Amino acid sequence: MTIPIPSPAPDDKLALRRAVRRARLSLSPRDRRCAEEKIARMAARFVRRGKRIGGYLAAGSELDIESLMSSALRRGAEIYLPVIPERGRRLWFSRLGPEDRWYRHPRYSMIEYAGPVLRVERLDVLFVPLLAVDAEGFRLGQGGGFYDTSLHAAGRRRPLLVGVAFDCQRVARVPREAWDIRLDWLVTESGLFRFPTRVPTNVCVGDDASRTMRSD
């Protein structure tokens, strides 16, 4: 099911961002917790021992995947969190460790972790934050362009891209640019959706637990 958010003009990213943020903010604390628990359980199938997993720290009303990352660590996976560069828009990803090495980014006020870093192409799976996602697997982010730049630079070496979002963030179509990259999978509280892009080579997921995303 695609949430019937009022459709702005095809290229009006600002209006779409506002509409989806309102929908996401309207979720009750109970609905958020229930959705996040379901999403963490379903997304855990992408986690394997020894794999390099890219995650993120939720900001504002974003979907919180802390329980998913904690589960990944218990399973023996490595967790990497995004680090905004001093120059440019190509992200680094810092390995999460047991030490207290948290700090706040001086410009964006985001919490980051000071660990060993690598580029996105060295990750096996990346759980991608998003503001809106459409029926073909294209995402709309916050507008900074960090993920788009990083994934574009990675080319075919990019990891498996798994979007995580609430159902209310699903829309019929998001504005697109020529360089936009489609997600491989999406996980919401309604289920696991696979987009017809690449054949994943580093993660095994049962077909019986997935479905191709469509607009209802």
Side-chain angles (χ1 to χ4, degrees):
M1 170 178 183
T2 301
I3 303 301
I5 292 174
S7 298
D11 59 347
D12 194 344
K13 293 184 179 182
L14 181 59
L16 181 57
R17 286 190 175 101
R18 287 173 175 169
V20 176
R21 284 195 183 103
R22 284 196 298 268
R24 194 169 64 182
L25 284 167
S26 69
L27 294 172
S28 69
R30 180 180 181 278
D31 287 343
R32 289 182 65 91
R33 287 195 302 272
C34 289
E36 288 167 350
E37 289 171 1
K38 290 179 181 179
I39 291 166
R41 287 196 298 270
M42 289 184 284
R45 70 188 63 224
F46 294 102
V47 176
R48 296 289 185 273
R49 177 176 294 276
K51 294 296 185 180
R52 294 170 172 171
I53 309 296
Y56 67 90
L57 298 179
S61 61
E62 279 186 333
L63 187 144
D64 192 334
I65 62 168
E66 182 178 352
S67 62
L68 172 61
M69 293 190 294
S70 296
S71 174
L73 289 172
R74 290 193 298 270
R75 289 174 176 227
E78 299 175 2
I79 293 294
Y80 289 79
L81 299 175
V83 175
I84 297 176
E86 293 183 6
R87 296 181 180 179
R89 296 186 181 275
R90 191 179 177 192
L91 292 169
W92 290 98
F93 286 82
S94 173
R95 182 178 177 180
L96 183 62
E99 300 87 1
D100 184 2
R101 295 182 178 178
W102 300 100
Y103 64 95
R104 187 176 295 276
H105 193 281
R107 180 178 177 185
Y108 293 96
S109 294
M110 296 177 61
I111 301 298
E112 298 180 339
Y113 188 80
V117 296
L118 47 71
R119 293 295 193 185
V120 69
E121 54 265 34
R122 296 189 60 195
L123 297 174
D124 296 299
V125 179
L126 178 61
F127 289 110
V128 187
L130 55 91
L131 190 53
V133 59
D134 68 18
E136 296 182 47
F138 289 96
R139 63 181 282 275
L140 180 67
Q142 298 288 354
F146 294 104
Y147 279 88
D148 291 333
T149 300
S150 303
L151 294 173
H152 185 73
R156 293 182 178 272
R157 296 177 297 165
R158 65 183 184 272
L160 190 78
L161 304 179
V162 182
V164 283
F166 298 108
D167 276 330
C168 67
Q169 295 173 252
R170 294 172 57 192
V171 300
R173 183 180 174 86
V174 300
R176 300 174 190 173
E177 306 291 349
W179 54 82
D180 285 347
I181 294 173
R182 193 193 313 244
L183 298 171
D184 295 304
W185 296 81
L186 173 69
V187 189
T188 75
E189 63 265 39
S190 291
L192 184 67
F193 304 90
R194 180 173 57 184
F195 300 109
T197 52
R198 302 175 295 154
V199 177
T201 58
N202 54 351
V203 177
C204 180
V205 180
D207 288 340
D208 58 340
S210 65
R211 43 188 167 153
T212 300
M213 189 173 180
R214 59 187 175 86
S215 296
D216 295 328

